[in-house]
């Protein structure tokens, strides 16, 4: 997990930013996005809110641009169709993104 103030340091250290869109299956209607930071070692960190930490949901492109503008990024994929369909699915997405890091049993 990472807070907004730590994203720039992560990106400067080589991390990339991924936006995960939420909306109805099969539609072009996106309610908003979650942000994940992927470190060079493959670890995925979900952006959290500062007060009452929880996954930060971003509803507008203007808010996304406010978060991205100070980052040293040249390109970012901006999904325009839903990648997940329910807000609770973000935790499964995050777990799958980090599965490769778990030891085999």
């Amino acid at each position: 997990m990472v807070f907004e103030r730590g994203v720039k340091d992560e990106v400067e250290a080589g991390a990339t930013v991924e936006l995960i869109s939420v909306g109805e299956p099969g539609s072009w209607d996106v309610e908003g996005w979650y942000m994940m930071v992927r470190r060079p070692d493959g670890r995925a960190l979900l952006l959290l809110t500062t007060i009452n930490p929880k996954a930060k949901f971003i509803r507008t492109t203007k808010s996304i641009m406010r978060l991205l503008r100070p980052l040293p990024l040249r390109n970012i994929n901006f999904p325009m169709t839903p990648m997940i369909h329910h807000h609770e699915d973000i935790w499964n997405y995050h777990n799958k993104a980090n599965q490769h890091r778990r030891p085999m049993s």
Side-chain angles (χ1 to χ4, degrees):
M1 310 302 168
V2 65
F3 293 104
E4 189 175 329
R5 66 181 173 269
V7 174
K8 185 176 181 184
D9 291 340
E10 293 288 346
V11 171
E12 287 174 346
T16 58
V17 172
E18 178 181 351
L19 298 174
I20 300 103
S21 54
V22 181
E24 291 297 319
S27 78
W28 279 76
D29 295 329
V30 171
E31 294 174 36
W33 300 264
Y34 289 99
M35 184 184 291
M36 192 175 294
V37 174
R38 289 193 184 259
R39 289 181 172 167
D41 68 359
R43 185 171 178 202
L45 308 171
L46 195 57
L47 181 67
L48 298 181
T49 58
T50 305
I51 300 171
N52 190 22
K54 60 183 177 183
K56 183 174 183 120
F57 184 65
I58 307 156
R59 294 187 185 278
T60 66
T61 55
K62 184 177 182 178
S63 295
I64 287 176
M65 293 310 296
R66 183 185 58 77
L67 284 170
L68 297 177
R69 196 168 289 119
L71 302 179
L73 295 169
R74 289 195 167 279
N75 297 300
I76 187 165
N77 288 331
F78 195 89
M80 296 173 55
T81 56
M83 296 169 66
I84 61 174
H85 307 298
H86 305 283
H87 291 276
E88 336 38 267
D89 294 343
I90 192 60
W91 298 108
N92 290 333
Y93 190 95
H94 178 257
N95 287 335
K96 285 179 185 175
N98 283 303
Q99 266 184 341
H100 71 284
R101 298 186 46 79
R102 295 194 177 102
M104 300 295 279
S105 41

